[in-house]
């Protein structure tokens, strides 16, 4: 048994885990990307303010406030034990439901979608709360099914998952008309149920249902049909439906190899719609060019790799599924945003994590990173044999700890 001065905590599977040094590399990557996003918003704040008759520092000041709130949210989330999130599943779901109702009743329609509710001088995006609540609820739901041995049962597992899928479709994709956020939520669900062990055959059946629903949603919406046609041929109507796509490609292309420079953006001066939000990657590409864009993508990949590492070394099913949901959320949202800006995907109106202007997205992304950071405090080295894991025998040799960079207190015997 490995002893430690630190008090052991009870994991969601009933085993004892001791805290150890968390994944500071994950924290450093996140901080770097927050700072980079702040630099980009600062560089276009004057241009955006000039267009709307606001102070030149209006946007960067609001982004600084959002970053500070995000840091506070991270601090709170990273100090919550992973298993404690189970206690707030219901409150989070209730808040998500209320936010969904509020955004439809009191939200402002922008480009045919209801995504924002104004709260004083700030705006709130309900979809970000729904994503976070979905991850917390689904991690607990799947963990319960795994323990009870009913993960493959249609009535106990598949039926509730289909109900949740229908609710997401009805509330987010139809009522809020936010197909991009709905796609991210579906990706979260698919990733989590796959890692939990739901048979691939059942996942494919659900995937077929999703595909049919997607065709119906696109075919019944002139706005979505227009976006699909623009995606197929973005240069066909650059002065009309394809305007944003054309301007985004122009911004990315004009950046060249090294970019125009931080203070030399052209597209931010009213040419590219949603320059600070959905189109931020195009602005980034214009400023920093191919090299800068590659560096940003490398940092995103590094972030996802750290999350994958935490998943591989998570101490229990619940913690693992929490981080799987977070990884699916951030990676899918990044893929959709960047893909839309370079013409690989249709425009979806979705923010780029850490980089885009916007408080709600930033706060919930930092909260998610805080959850993953908390889980990293209880990770165990997965290179040990299954017998060692079952019997709780810690790999305590000096060479083992040095070779795997695993702290002395990373694991503890489950035996009293």
């Amino acid at each position: 048994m490995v002893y430690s001065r630190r008090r052991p905590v009870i994991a969601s599977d009933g085993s004892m885990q001791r805290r150890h040094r968390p994944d500071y590399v994950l924290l450093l990557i996140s901080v770097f990307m927050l700072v980079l996003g702040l630099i980009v918003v600062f560089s276009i704040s004057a241009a955006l303010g000039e267009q709307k008759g606001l102070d030149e520092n209006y946007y960067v000041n609001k982004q600084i406030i959002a970053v500070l709130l995000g840091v506070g949210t991270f601090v709170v989330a990273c100090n919550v034990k992973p298993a404690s999130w189970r206690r707030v599943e219901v409150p989070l779901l209730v808040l998500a439901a209320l936010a969904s109702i509020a955004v439809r009743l009191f939200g402002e329609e922008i480009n045919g979608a209801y995504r924002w509710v104004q709260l004083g001088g700030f705006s709130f995006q309900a979809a970000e709360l729904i994503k976070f609540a979905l991850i917390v609820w689904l991690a607990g739901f799947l963990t319960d099914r795994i323990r009870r041995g009913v993960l493959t049962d249609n009535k106990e597992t598949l039926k509730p998952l289909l109900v949740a899928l229908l609710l997401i479709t009805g509330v987010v994709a139809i009522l809020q008309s936010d197909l991009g956020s709905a796609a991210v939520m579906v990706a979260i669900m698919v990733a989590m149920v796959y890692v939990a062990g739901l048979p691939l055959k059942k996942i494919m059946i659900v995937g077929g249902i999703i595909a049919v629903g997607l065709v119906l949603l696109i075919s019944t919406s002139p706005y979505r049909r227009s976006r699909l046609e623009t995606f197929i041929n973005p240069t066909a109507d650059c002065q009309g439906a394809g305007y944003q796509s054309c301007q985004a490609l122009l911004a990315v292309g004009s950046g060249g190899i090294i970019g125009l420079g931080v203070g030399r953006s052209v597209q931010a001066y009213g040419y590219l719609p949603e320059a600070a939000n959905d189109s931020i990657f195009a602005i980034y590409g214009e400023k920093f060019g191919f090299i800068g864009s590659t560096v940003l993508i490398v940092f995103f990949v590094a972030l996802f790799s750290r999350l994958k590492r935490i998943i591989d070394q998570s101490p229990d099913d619940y913690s693992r599924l929490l981080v799987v949901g977070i990884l699916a959320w951030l990676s899918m949202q990044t893929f959709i945003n960047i893909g839309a800006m370079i013409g690989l995907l249709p425009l979806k109106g979705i923010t780029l994590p850490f980089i885009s202007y916007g408080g709600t997205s930033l706060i919930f992304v930092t909260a998610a990173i805080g959850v993953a950071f908390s889980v990293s405090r209880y990770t165990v080295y997965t290179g040990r044999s299954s017998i060692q894991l079952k019997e709780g025998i810690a790999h305590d040799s000096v060479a083992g700890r040095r070779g795997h960079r695993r702290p002395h207190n990373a694991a503890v015997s489950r035996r009293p």
Side-chain angles (χ1 to χ4, degrees):
M1 179 175 182
V2 178
Y3 292 91
S4 170
R5 296 179 184 177
R6 298 177 187 251
R7 184 179 179 183
V9 298
I10 305 300
S12 63
D13 62 355
S15 63
M16 291 199 310
Q17 303 291 335
R18 292 189 186 276
R19 288 177 53 162
H20 57 78
R21 187 176 66 179
D23 191 340
Y24 286 111
V25 175
L26 175 70
L27 178 59
L28 288 174
I29 294 172
S30 301
V31 169
F32 172 82
M33 297 181 74
L34 279 176
V35 172
L36 186 59
L38 197 56
I39 292 172
V40 177
V41 173
F42 169 76
S43 69
I44 62 176
S45 181
L48 297 175
E50 181 180 327
Q51 295 171 46
K52 299 188 178 181
L54 300 171
D55 181 79
E56 64 178 12
N57 294 319
Y58 174 82
Y59 285 91
V60 68
N61 287 340
K62 290 193 68 174
Q63 188 73 350
I64 290 173
I65 294 173
V67 169
L68 292 176
L69 290 174
V71 170
T73 307
F74 169 84
V75 171
V76 172
C78 75
N79 284 288
V80 175
K81 297 180 180 67
S84 298
W85 287 104
R86 300 217 60 177
R87 302 173 187 171
V88 295
E89 287 178 10
V90 174
L92 281 175
L93 290 175
V94 171
L95 287 174
L98 293 175
S100 300
I101 295 172
V103 78
R104 181 60 184 181
L105 294 179
F106 310 110
E108 181 182 359
E109 181 182 358
I110 301 176
N111 295 328
Y114 294 85
R115 297 171 182 161
W116 303 90
V117 176
Q118 294 296 326
L119 300 173
F122 295 88
S123 56
F124 179 81
Q125 191 173 10
E128 303 303 317
L129 173 59
I130 298 173
K131 294 170 192 172
F132 191 83
L134 175 64
I135 291 171
V136 174
W137 168 76
L138 192 54
F141 173 84
L142 293 173
T143 300
D144 286 341
R145 269 54 186 178
I146 292 171
R147 289 180 191 168
R148 292 165 49 195
V150 295
L151 183 66
T152 60
D153 186 87
N154 290 337
K155 182 179 180 181
E156 294 285 338
T157 304
L158 193 59
K159 185 177 178 180
L161 289 176
L162 288 174
V163 171
L165 184 63
L166 289 174
L167 285 174
I168 289 172
T169 303
V171 173
V172 181
I174 297 177
L175 292 181
Q176 297 180 14
S177 193
D178 189 355
L179 192 57
S181 293
V184 173
M185 295 175 199
V186 170
I188 290 171
M189 292 187 67
V190 171
M192 292 179 72
V193 299
Y194 177 77
V195 172
L198 193 70
L200 186 59
K201 181 179 179 180
K202 293 188 177 183
I203 295 177
M204 292 179 67
I205 292 174
V206 176
I209 297 173
I210 294 172
V212 172
L214 183 63
V215 171
L216 291 175
L217 287 172
I218 294 175
S219 62
T220 56
S221 170
Y223 176 70
R224 293 188 183 120
R225 289 200 306 270
S226 175
R227 282 204 163 184
L228 182 59
E229 292 168 359
T230 300
F231 165 67
I232 295 173
N233 190 0
T235 60
D237 186 14
C238 283
Q239 297 302 315
Y243 179 79
Q244 185 174 358
S245 296
C246 290
Q247 293 299 323
L249 292 173
L250 182 62
V252 173
S254 63
I257 299 297
I258 61 174
L260 301 180
V262 174
R264 299 185 61 187
S265 174
V266 175
Q267 292 296 324
Y269 284 89
Y271 295 100
L272 179 60
E274 303 296 332
N277 299 304
D278 310 340
S279 304
I280 194 72
F281 182 78
I283 295 293
Y284 182 94
E286 180 188 31
K287 289 178 175 293
F288 298 103
F290 175 78
I291 294 176
S293 300
T294 301
V295 170
L296 178 61
I297 293 173
V298 167
F299 270 94
F300 270 117
V301 172
L303 177 76
F304 303 150
S305 297
R306 300 310 294 187
L307 292 173
K308 174 63 166 57
R309 183 176 182 270
I310 295 172
I311 292 169
D312 291 338
Q313 300 180 6
S314 293
D316 56 78
D317 289 325
Y318 182 72
S319 299
R320 180 179 302 108
L321 290 170
L322 279 176
V323 185
V324 167
I326 293 168
L327 175 58
W329 171 11
L330 300 183
S331 60
M332 179 57 69
Q333 194 152 317
T334 300
F335 175 71
I336 290 175
N337 182 278
I338 295 178
M341 289 299 100
I342 60 177
L344 293 179
L345 294 172
L347 294 174
K348 283 297 175 190
I350 203 166
T351 57
L352 184 62
F354 297 102
I355 309 299
S356 289
Y357 167 80
T360 311
S361 174
L362 200 58
I363 288 170
F364 281 103
V365 165
T366 51
I369 294 296
V371 173
F373 190 74
S374 175
V375 172
S376 74
R377 284 194 173 106
Y378 305 100
T379 52
V380 293
Y381 172 57
T382 56
R384 291 177 288 161
S385 68
S386 59
I387 296 177
Q388 285 178 311
L389 286 172
K390 290 178 181 178
E391 295 182 356
I393 301 173
H395 185 72
D396 198 33
S397 69
V398 175
R401 290 199 306 274
R402 287 179 179 173
H404 301 297
R405 300 185 182 273
R406 175 178 164 270
H408 179 79
N409 301 322
V412 67
S413 172
R414 298 181 183 177
R415 294 177 297 180

